[in-house]
Amino acid sequence: MNPRPAPEALGRDAGDECLFRDADGMRIHVLNRTAREIYLLCDGSRSSAEVAGELAERYMVDPGTARADVDGLVEMLVGLGILSRD
């Protein structure tokens, strides 16, 4: 399944960063510029591998490194309820 924003995620785009609040309002998660870019590419139309490929081309980084980084971030964001794969 392609990652996409979780419907219950409470977030705000703040330019270079994205801010998300937990459902209970007790914690704030801040995505830096790179994480924000990955989050925005995870719109449900691309797989994690496609997101990684796009970033590898855009920034001329090793595709394997990009894939590992994207996969790790996507897993973390799914765990936090910011992204969904349903």
Side-chain angles (χ1 to χ4, degrees), residues 45-76:
S45 70
R46 301 170 187 86
S47 67
S48 294
E50 291 169 322
V51 169
E54 189 168 327
L55 292 173
E57 283 183 34
R58 188 179 298 173
Y59 296 107
M60 298 172 45
V61 298
D62 174 68
T65 300
R67 178 69 190 266
D69 290 348
V70 168
D71 285 347
L73 181 67
V74 166
E75 287 304 315
M76 182 182 77

Side-chain angles (χ1 to χ4, degrees), residues 6 8 26 28 40 42 64 73 80 84 86:
E8 65 277 1
M26 299 302 292
I28 301 285
L40 293 174
C42 291
L73 181 67
L80 292 172
S84 174
D86 319 310

